[in-house]
Amino acid sequence: MSRGLASKLMVSGTRHRVAAFTGLFTFSSLLLLSVLLAGQAVAAESEARLEIFSPDESIVVAFMLKQGAPFYEIKRSGVEIIRPSRMGFQFKNAAPLDGDFAVADSRASSFDETWVQPWGEVKEIRNRYNELRVELEETSAARRRMTVVFRVYDCGVGFRYELPRQENLKDVEIMDEKTEFALTGPHDAWWIPAYRDNRYEYLYTKSSLAEMDTVHTPLTMQTADGFFLSIHEAALTDYASMTVASKGDNVLKCDLVPWSDGVRVKASTPFVTPWRTLQIAENPGELITCYLILNLNEPCVLEDVSWLRPGKYAGIWWGMHIGKYTWGSGDRHGATTANVKKYIDFAAENGFLGVLVEGWNLGWDSEWWLGGSVFDFTTPYDDFGIEELSRYAAAKGVKIIGHHETSAAIENYESQVDAAFSFCRRYGIDVVKTGYVGTRVSETEWHHGQYMVRHCRKIVEKAAKNRIMLDVHEPVKDTGIRRTYPNMMTREGARGMEYDAWSVDGGNPPDHSTILPFTRMLSGPFDFTPGIFDLHFEELRPDNRVNTTLAKQLAYYLVIYSPLQMVADLPENYENQPAFKFIVDVPADWSETRVLNAQIGDYVTIARRERDGQDWYVGSITDEQPRQLEAHLDFLQAGKKYVAEIYADATDADWNSNPYAMNIHSALVDSDTVIRLALAPGGGQAVRIRPASEAEAGDVAPYSP
Ligand code: NOJ
Ligand code: CA
């Protein structure tokens, strides 16, 4: 794994070694230290300090033993980011594992490799870090062992615990993980509350850390000295989700979501915990382009990824949310053969990947949201002709996207899932949207605990075996497992567009989507379901509307990344709409991503280059305030002419009073051009930039702001 010395590693030894081991050491001298430590009796080593730098040397992490208790601290550019913070565990039937330690061995290494995402927001990701492994052993009779591993990247830090197989620690019930994040002040924080019935579906609150209780991650903060931080986790595969609880004095503590019996994690050694992650950035845009969470996950385990297809999809879906159709049977049943054909035609005409069909199977004619074993995943309603539709879709080159709403009845779903996936395969369905509506899963468990984490893992593995891509709603939060299982395409896990259709609070306010890119989106793709063109549906839902301008709906295709990107409105609402061309053109798979402007909760501009192509797309959105922003097109190939197709809020546009007013025009641009982004209140702008033909280079008027 070591690739030689890419960086400096700083080491200071145990108490009596401090003098000898201060200063900067090379990689090989760290190894030498490790050997020395390994050769020593551990009894004397209850004080220690080991440090490791990021490859660019901006971040330094220190691991410490203080009277045998493990701590870590983090600095960036010499500024303290995390004060000495506790580590360790408390168990149900065993003594805590959080003190009485000595360093048995330590090892540092460097890693640098670039890997390719089968689909994604960028094609290539550089995984470059320095790692410090510290093996600890208790000095007491039990001599239990625990290893802490730190990986330090230029944009942040990941660390985890490894509990090796050992005689005195076999089956464990973790009652508490003692990991703390001792912050340096009452930072501004953007958060959603944990332990609530609506899972992750809350509006973000911005407050001081001091006013926060227990919150979900990613948790994003801004420090008084100008750093942007995000606490999250990576590679959550068989453990409880980490929420963080405010303990006063700016200390946040890991709060693992418990099982209903109060145990947080059930495990047997050997096991490793998820990585606890801290992203550190000097501006908020850097949070978005830091890929540490993906890097901390295991590489792809699928031998063949050629069947994975990102793309856009239409769906018999929004119609139910605004009350035009029903999931259940009756006059307004949405998933009828005739209606599905209409949607398949619409998708085929516009080159979309698929059509989601909800309400196709038995179960919806009950109070399904209350759980229970109501859903049948292999029996369609009589008016949904699966045989015929499967042939029709195949002939048109469109995928039917299946839907498995489980109503959080896990046993019911698990007992049918093999048959359900076979059913999908039989009818050529290789994308399935799953859903877990309910306040608890299996009536008693949180959506975020180990029980649900295990279930989700099982479903992802089974789906992979059946070559099925997943879009999970009411999910466990993303922690980057799409790297390992890239059939785990996208998920919900936040308030999406549907809230604008029916929420009694009036839906998502204009600033919601300007917070998401810096919070929820740091965990991974979001099936937000953009593209609503009919922003008012007075006859169906007089008290609801979509709280954006039309141009902002287009910009969402850039700002809110999802490899399965919905074209959410009813097909009839796109008829004769010039702005629909942007949705037809915009890809759902990218080679490059740049953040051009960013202010959490206010605005964001993101530019992306299509996968393996030369077209660039820019999307910019604002909250309720109008903004004048700029997009420097310096990412374009120098000396080359492009045509920019601009979809901008008109000067008098306003999300509330004049949301449809839009200006669509084309102009010649190059890498020196600066496009003006005049965003209306609650508005946005979307731009497609494609290489100009020879004729266009002569004909199209140059861009003028
Ligand atoms: C909630 C999901 O988020 C939504 O997309 C779906 O239509 C309903 N559940 C019904 O399954
Ligand atoms: Ca704001």
Side-chain angles (χ1 to χ4, degrees):
M1 184 150 124
S2 315
R3 296 282 166 95
L5 179 64
S7 67
K8 286 180 237 172
L9 304 159
M10 191 168 112
V11 183
S12 48
T14 53
R15 203 171 3 147
H16 55 282
R17 293 183 172 276
V18 167
F21 286 98
T22 47
L24 294 173
F25 278 70
T26 62
F27 181 69
S28 45
S29 55
L30 180 69
L31 282 180
L32 181 69
L33 174 74
S34 305
V35 172
L36 289 174
L37 284 171
Q40 282 171 357
V42 290
E45 313 291 351
S46 66
E47 301 284 323
R49 185 181 173 91
L50 298 161
E51 294 187 352
I52 186 148
F53 283 86
S54 57
D56 70 356
E57 298 174 30
S58 65
I59 298 176
V60 59
V61 177
F63 171 80
M64 292 157 289
L65 277 187
K66 296 185 184 189
Q67 297 179 340
F71 288 82
Y72 75 99
E73 77 183 347
I74 299 176
K75 287 184 181 155
R76 160 114 183 208
S77 311
V79 179
E80 190 161 54
I81 302 287
I82 299 285
R83 295 178 284 134
S85 297
R86 292 192 163 274
M87 310 181 88
F89 295 96
Q90 206 168 310
F91 303 113
K92 193 168 183 184
N93 295 321
L97 195 63
D98 63 350
D100 190 22
F101 281 124
V103 174
D105 195 5
S106 69
R107 237 175 308 147
S109 57
S110 299
F111 188 82
D112 189 0
E113 155 192 288
T114 297
W115 57 282
V116 173
Q117 297 206 86
W119 47 264
E121 63 277 66
V122 289
K123 184 171 179 182
E124 294 185 349
I125 293 184
R126 186 171 184 188
N127 186 9
R128 182 167 73 130
Y129 60 82
N130 290 330
E131 180 181 282
L132 173 66
R133 295 177 60 84
V134 188
E135 292 178 19
L136 302 170
E137 187 174 311
E138 288 178 321
T139 54
S140 60
R143 295 214 170 251
R144 295 177 303 171
R145 287 173 290 127
M146 169 174 101
T147 299
V148 286
V149 184
F150 296 91
R151 286 190 183 166
V152 191
Y153 293 80
D154 293 344
C155 66
V157 178
F159 62 92
R160 75 175 177 195
Y161 304 88
E162 298 181 0
L163 295 190
R165 176 148 213 90
Q166 50 197 299
E167 214 27 58
N168 291 328
L169 203 59
K170 283 185 173 154
D171 298 329
V172 296
E173 293 193 314
I174 298 174
M175 298 308 286
D176 194 18
E177 183 188 309
K178 300 202 142 185
T179 308
E180 286 181 353
F181 304 87
L183 294 150
T184 56
H187 305 328
D188 282 343
W190 287 263
W191 52 270
I192 51 171
Y195 300 111
R196 298 289 174 89
D197 285 349
N198 268 336
R199 308 160 301 265
Y200 305 104
E201 294 167 31
Y202 290 91
L203 293 173
Y204 282 81
T205 299
K206 180 187 179 186
S207 78
S208 132
L209 273 187
E211 292 159 49
M212 231 176 60
D213 189 352
T214 304
V215 302
H216 283 299
T217 73
L219 165 66
T220 300
M221 292 165 279
Q222 179 173 6
T223 74
D225 28 26
F227 289 107
F228 294 86
L229 312 177
S230 174
I231 292 175
H232 190 46
E233 60 182 312
L236 172 61
T237 62
D238 187 7
Y239 203 79
S241 299
M242 175 177 76
T243 68
V244 290
S246 177
K247 291 287 165 201
D249 195 25
N250 309 313
V251 176
L252 302 180
K253 190 188 156 299
C254 168
D255 184 320
L256 298 175
V257 175
W259 291 72
S260 51
D261 63 8
V263 176
R264 312 258 177 171
V265 176
K266 306 180 182 191
S268 302
T269 58
F271 71 91
V272 298
T273 69
W275 296 91
R276 278 66 190 86
T277 60
L278 178 73
Q279 286 181 228
I280 309 170
E282 278 168 14
N283 68 65
E286 286 169 18
L287 292 174
I288 295 173
T289 50
C290 168
Y291 302 109
L292 150 160
I293 286 164
L294 281 171
N295 278 331
L296 287 166
N297 276 268
E298 296 301 316
C300 179
V301 294
L302 306 184
E303 269 164 34
D304 179 9
V305 292
S306 61
W307 55 278
L308 300 168
R309 288 265 181 286
K312 288 165 290 187
Y313 71 98
I316 301 200
W317 177 79
W318 183 250
M320 277 84 103
H321 286 270
I322 58 173
K324 179 183 165 95
Y325 299 132
T326 55
W327 281 275
S329 61
D331 290 353
R332 288 184 296 130
H333 186 212
T336 63
T337 305
N339 205 23
V340 176
K341 279 189 177 173
K342 192 180 106 184
Y343 276 72
I344 290 172
D345 292 345
F346 168 69
E349 277 156 25
N350 295 295
F352 300 154
L353 178 81
V355 171
L356 166 71
V357 187
E358 296 200 0
W360 65 276
N361 61 323
L362 296 190
W364 295 95
D365 291 310
S366 60
E367 291 183 306
W368 60 268
W369 53 91
L370 298 177
S373 300
V374 297
F375 282 112
D376 177 328
F377 302 99
T378 49
T379 312
Y381 278 119
D382 287 342
D383 55 353
F384 176 77
I386 181 67
E387 299 273 356
E388 184 183 345
L389 286 169
S390 144
R391 280 195 301 272
Y392 192 81
K396 297 243 170 181
V398 170
K399 292 177 190 292
I400 292 178
I401 299 180
H403 184 227
H404 293 169
E405 172 55 64
T406 67
S407 63
I410 303 301
E411 290 83 358
N412 182 51
Y413 188 42
E414 289 194 357
S415 71
Q416 295 183 55
V417 68
D418 291 327
F421 283 163
S422 302
F423 177 92
C424 290
R425 297 299 313 164
R426 189 170 335 127
Y427 295 110
I429 296 169
D430 66 358
V431 188
V432 173
K433 171 176 168 179
T434 57
Y436 297 89
V437 169
T439 58
R440 301 289 184 279
V441 290
S442 294
E443 290 173 17
T444 56
E445 306 299 321
W446 289 106
H447 275 69
H448 332 295
Q450 187 181 19
Y451 174 79
M452 185 62 168
V453 170
R454 282 181 174 167
H455 166 75
C456 289
R457 184 67 169 196
K458 196 184 288 179
I459 300 300
V460 169
E461 289 176 7
K462 280 185 188 291
K465 281 203 184 93
N466 285 284
R467 294 196 161 209
I468 286 174
M469 295 172 259
L470 289 175
D471 168 6
V472 182
H473 279 233
E474 300 80 39
V476 175
K477 67 185 175 183
D478 200 345
T479 58
I481 66 159
R482 65 185 158 126
R483 181 178 180 196
T484 314
Y485 282 97
N487 62 312
M488 180 60 247
M489 305 290 285
T490 190
R491 67 185 82 201
E492 192 189 39
R495 278 174 63 130
M497 187 73 76
E498 62 186 31
Y499 275 77
D500 285 23
W502 42 250
S503 185
V504 289
D505 64 7
N508 298 324
D511 74 343
H512 179 59
S513 52
T514 63
I515 300 172
L516 290 174
F518 309 97
T519 51
R520 161 66 182 79
M521 298 309 298
L522 302 182
S523 72
F526 177 12
D527 186 27
F528 178 78
T529 68
I532 301 302
F533 271 36
D534 181 15
L535 304 167
H536 302 94
F537 15 88
E538 302 86 348
E539 284 169 23
L540 296 161
R541 292 244 193 281
D543 297 330
N544 287 92
R545 56 155 295 175
V546 173
N547 302 321
T548 69
T549 65
L550 185 56
K552 189 172 181 178
Q553 289 292 319
L554 304 183
Y556 280 156
Y557 287 86
L558 282 303
V559 168
I560 300 185
Y561 169 65
S562 179
L564 296 173
Q565 193 68 283
M566 194 166 197
V567 181
D569 210 339
L570 311 172
E572 51 269 37
N573 291 339
Y574 296 119
E575 276 167 26
N576 305 316
Q577 289 279 1
F580 183 54
K581 180 171 186 303
F582 183 83
I583 296 187
V584 173
D585 291 340
V586 70
D589 196 23
W590 309 99
S591 275
E592 286 181 67
T593 285
R594 314 250 175 130
V595 181
L596 308 185
N597 305 294
Q599 197 68 60
I600 306 176
D602 293 343
Y603 57 83
V604 63
T605 308
I606 296 185
R608 304 192 198 261
R609 182 168 65 84
E610 68 176 333
R611 173 69 62 129
D612 298 331
Q614 298 191 58
D615 290 10
W616 281 84
Y617 289 78
V618 179
S620 185
I621 61 169
T622 178
D623 60 2
E624 69 289 344
Q625 297 295 329
R627 313 263 172 203
Q628 298 290 334
L629 305 174
E630 291 180 340
H632 293 249
L633 305 187
D634 50 7
F635 44 80
L636 298 178
Q637 217 173 295
K640 200 175 154 113
K641 292 289 175 198
Y642 295 78
V643 175
E645 298 170 3
I646 299 170
Y647 301 76
D649 288 325
T651 43
D652 58 349
D654 179 302
W655 74 272
N656 191 28
S657 57
N658 193 18
Y660 299 105
M662 188 192 273
N663 248 318
I664 305 178
H665 66 283
S666 294
L668 210 60
V669 297
D670 59 28
S671 61
D672 293 327
T673 307
V674 177
I675 290 188
R676 206 172 130 249
L677 305 166
L679 312 179
Q685 188 169 137
V687 186
R688 176 189 184 194
I689 304 167
R690 55 175 178 80
S693 67
E694 225 167 275
E696 285 172 323
D699 284 0
V700 180
Y703 179 79
S704 86

